[in-house]
Structures are given as structure tokens and as C-alpha cells.
Amino acid sequence: MNTAVSWTRWIRQFFVKTTLVFLVGCATIPSFGPDAEVIESGVIGGEADAADIVPFQIVDITAATLPQKTHVAQNFPARFRNQALYRVDRSIEVGDRLQVRIWEVAEDGLFATPDQRETVIEVTVSNSGIIFVPYANEIAARGLTTADLREVLLDRYRGKAVEPEIVVTIMETQTDAAIVLGDVGQPGRVSVPSSGIRLLDLMARAGGTSRAPWEVSVTIQRGADKATLPLADILDVPANNVFVRPGDFVSVAYLPRRFAVYGGVIRPSNIEIPKAEADLAYLLAEVGGLNDRVAQAKSAFVFRPATKRGAEHQGTAIAYRLDFSRPDALLLASQFQLARNDIIYVASADAADFQRFVSLIVSPLMGTVSGVSSLSN
């Protein structure tokens, strides 16, 4: 029994001495991410001047410093927006499906009957460029325009049909088509009619996309020329609904918008926000809010990389800092609009490492001491 008591006393003395050592050195216990002081020391004019640190500046979020709306609608280049119908009257090619409509004056004409004076004939241009129309024999249609083919038919029906009137239309073509790929219902070739087709109509014929417009990008490639826009900007700006030309490649890509949240929050994770305009308050609510035991409420940061256009960076990276001890903090958070590449980090409080130490080391040790004391009793 005495041995057990002595052992308990020794354990307690060891526990006290060990606790003192850890209290002195608890700051050395590793944790994820820098604390607020380290972030502040890395701003421009501090350590960020070093070659191995990305330069950034800290901006405290107030009603006066809230960043402007992060998204400004973009436009397709003028060379795409100024593209009109690619041609007025095109030539007939192999594989085209043609519609020939014939009207006659008399009821007893070549095709007309007392009940029907209009006749509709559909033909497809063969591999050799030939079509066959009743009572007109074979016609070499390839290379002709619809107006040329009409004149040929009027000449073939002279003396056979009663004062005919003829209209020729290209209903479908295999050569004048655009390719639609990516996140659409039916990717593949889509015919471009002679009347022309705009980008949104082309996507609709390909089955459209079920994704949110702010998570979809649309790229048009015309030869060596290429341009990309978010679908939301095409819907919002009518001029971006450009004409598509035969031979164009249209690629529809799904780019889910997710925001990384680290540090002193309940559930650090990668969050997708199902809203066109994502705000900081909504994002923090999705991760359970700040962790009261860990978070340093005065140091919630939104890191925004410098914008990049072409090969050059525009401006400097910014770390927006929100002090959640402010009375208007939640209002500011709800008005802070997030950009696509933002990274959110809540710095750990000074006592967070010690709390980890208590949870991971002290608690198990206290359990050991209690167990020994129970045995001694």
C-alpha cells in the first residue's frame, strides 16, 4: 500500500514538473497555418520583401474598405461580336438534304390535284453530287446555289407543269456544321443553317447544360482564334450571344466554384456555394462558424491572389482581415463578396496550442494518476 502511495506522489511530482516545462514551451507544439502575428510580419515592408515570400498587403475590412463587386461582365472580342451571317447564298454540297416545294396554277397539273396544289419533295445529294427529282431526271446539284437549282428545275418542268413556282431550301447539311463538346446533353456536330445560328441556340440544339451559369465556361475556337467567357456573361450581355460559323468548335466546361477554408473553424473544408454571388458570412456558416476554443476572432483572413492577365500580374495579393469582435462584423461578412480564387483562413488564438496540449497530453496523464490513486485505495 505504501509503495502505491509513493508511486502516486512521484507521478504527481513528475506531472507538475512536466506541465511547467510544457507551459514554457507550448508555443513549439505544431499547428496548422500561421498565427496573426506571423501573417502581419509578412506584409509588404516586412518579411515579404524577401525573395522567397509572395508579397501581399493586409486590408482591415470596414464599411469603407469593403472591396467592390468582384465580378464584372466580360465580352467576347470584337472579331467575334461583329461576325454577321457567314454568307448569303451558299453552294450545295454532298450530303445536303434539300427540300423542293412546287406550286401549280391548275388543279390538274403535273403534281397538283383538286385537293392539293402544293407538292413537297425532299432529296439528299449523293456522294457524286447528284439528286433525282421526279420528272426532272438526274441533276448535278453539287456546287449550285439554291437559286441556280431553282432555275434548272423550272427549265426541266417547262411544258410539263402548269406555270410552276418553285422554292429550294437546304434543310440539313453535313459540311456546314459546328462541333459542340463538353458538358452538354448531346455533344457532337450541329448543323449551321443558311439563316445563321447564335451561340445559345447552338448549345440548346446540343442539349444544353444543367449546370449553374456561374460554374460554366464556353470557349469558341475558330481556326487559330479562340475566346472564352463564363456562361453567365453570355446570358447577361446580349452582344455575347454571337453568331457561330461552320467549322467552329464550341467547348462547354463545368468549373465548380469551391472555396478553401482553413484554421480555427468547426469544419475546415473545401466548400461549394450554390449562389451566383458568394459572401463570407454564408461560407463561414457552411463550415459551422468559428471554433470558440481555437479561433482568434480578431484575425479572420481572406487571401486574394493578385489578378493575372496574360503573362503579367496586375496589382498585389491582398489579405483582407475581419475582426469578429466588432459589433458590425456579421453585417460586414454578409456584404463581403468572395472571388473565385479566395482562400479563407482563421488564425488560431494564442492559447490554442496549450488547449491542444491539455487535450492530448495532460488529460491522459491525469487519467493515469487517477487510476493509480484508485489502486492505492
Side-chain angles (χ1 to χ4, degrees):
M1 183 66 69
N2 292 333
T3 302
V5 172
S6 300
W7 174 251
T8 301
R9 290 176 180 174
W10 182 88
I11 287 293
R12 287 175 177 170
Q13 293 176 358
F14 175 79
F15 165 69
V16 171
K17 293 178 181 178
T18 303
T19 302
L20 291 174
V21 171
F22 274 101
L23 284 173
V24 174
C26 66
T28 62
I29 297 178
S31 62
F32 176 82
D35 60 23
E37 292 183 1
V38 173
I39 294 176
E40 290 175 2
S41 68
V43 299
I44 295 175
E47 293 182 10
D49 293 336
D52 60 344
I53 297 180
V54 177
F56 66 93
Q57 59 181 339
I58 292 179
V59 175
D60 287 312
I61 300 175
T62 65
T65 61
L66 277 171
Q68 298 298 316
K69 187 177 180 180
T70 58
H71 178 74
V72 178
Q74 306 172 54
N75 292 310
F76 276 122
R79 58 186 179 276
F80 285 94
R81 287 184 284 112
N82 296 337
Q83 174 64 50
L85 297 180
Y86 67 99
R87 59 176 110 165
V88 177
D89 199 1
R90 68 187 182 199
S91 299
I92 297 170
E93 299 294 340
V94 170
D96 286 357
R97 184 168 63 87
L98 309 178
Q99 183 185 77
V100 180
R101 304 172 71 93
I102 305 171
W103 289 269
E104 294 182 85
V105 174
E107 296 179 352
D108 55 350
L110 182 62
F111 298 100
T113 66
D115 298 326
Q116 183 69 43
R117 294 189 182 185
E118 177 188 5
T119 302
V120 179
I121 303 171
E122 291 190 359
V123 294
T124 301
V125 182
S126 68
N127 290 338
S128 58
I130 302 297
I131 62 172
F132 177 81
V133 182
Y135 304 108
N137 298 322
E138 292 183 351
I139 300 175
R142 181 181 182 184
L144 301 178
T145 64
T146 54
D148 294 336
L149 180 57
R150 174 181 178 275
E151 292 298 327
V152 172
L153 289 170
L154 286 173
D155 183 65
R156 297 284 179 94
Y157 287 138
R158 186 174 290 113
K160 298 178 182 179
V162 181
E163 298 183 26
E165 183 56 55
I166 299 175
V167 173
V168 179
T169 305
I170 299 176
M171 301 299 294
E172 184 177 343
T173 179
Q174 298 297 318
T175 56
D176 289 346
I179 307 298
V180 184
L181 303 174
D183 193 58
V184 291
Q186 299 173 344
R189 297 170 59 89
V190 178
S191 296
V192 177
S194 57
S195 58
I197 189 170
R198 292 187 180 271
L199 179 57
L200 293 177
D201 296 321
L202 184 82
M203 291 177 57
R205 291 194 181 187
T209 179
S210 60
R211 309 294 185 180
W214 59 85
E215 294 187 322
V216 175
S217 72
V218 181
T219 300
I220 302 177
Q221 183 166 352
R222 183 171 296 162
D225 210 0
K226 183 164 60 174
T228 301
L229 277 188
L231 178 58
D233 290 349
I234 299 173
L235 294 170
D236 292 342
V237 182
N240 285 329
N241 189 20
V242 299
F243 279 107
V244 178
R245 293 186 57 179
D248 285 356
F249 285 86
V250 177
S251 177
V252 181
Y254 170 51
L255 302 175
R257 185 189 59 183
R258 294 189 174 94
F259 298 96
V261 187
Y262 303 107
V265 293
I266 300 297
R267 296 185 302 274
S269 56
N270 213 13
I271 298 296
E272 182 173 351
I273 296 182
K275 293 175 28 176
E277 294 185 354
D279 60 80
L280 180 59
Y282 188 102
L283 180 65
L284 291 176
E286 287 293 294
V287 297
L290 274 60
N291 188 333
D292 293 339
R293 295 180 57 194
V294 176
Q296 187 171 347
K298 294 185 178 182
S299 297
F301 293 93
V302 178
F303 288 89
R304 181 165 297 174
T307 58
K308 185 176 182 181
R309 294 184 178 179
E312 297 183 356
H313 283 274
Q314 306 291 324
T316 305
I318 298 176
Y320 291 99
R321 177 171 55 190
L322 180 58
D323 180 358
F324 271 95
S325 65
R326 290 174 57 107
D328 60 347
L330 292 178
L331 292 174
L332 291 173
S334 66
Q335 296 175 37
F336 188 95
Q337 299 297 312
L338 298 170
R340 177 175 286 273
N341 295 320
D342 285 352
I343 299 173
I344 293 79
Y345 173 73
V346 179
S348 298
D350 295 337
D353 289 337
F354 177 68
Q355 291 174 353
R356 294 191 189 95
F357 160 70
V358 171
S359 299
L360 298 176
I361 299 176
V362 176
S363 294
L365 187 58
M366 290 178 65
T368 301
V369 173
S370 299
V372 173
S373 299
S374 299
L375 290 175
S376 65
N377 294 330

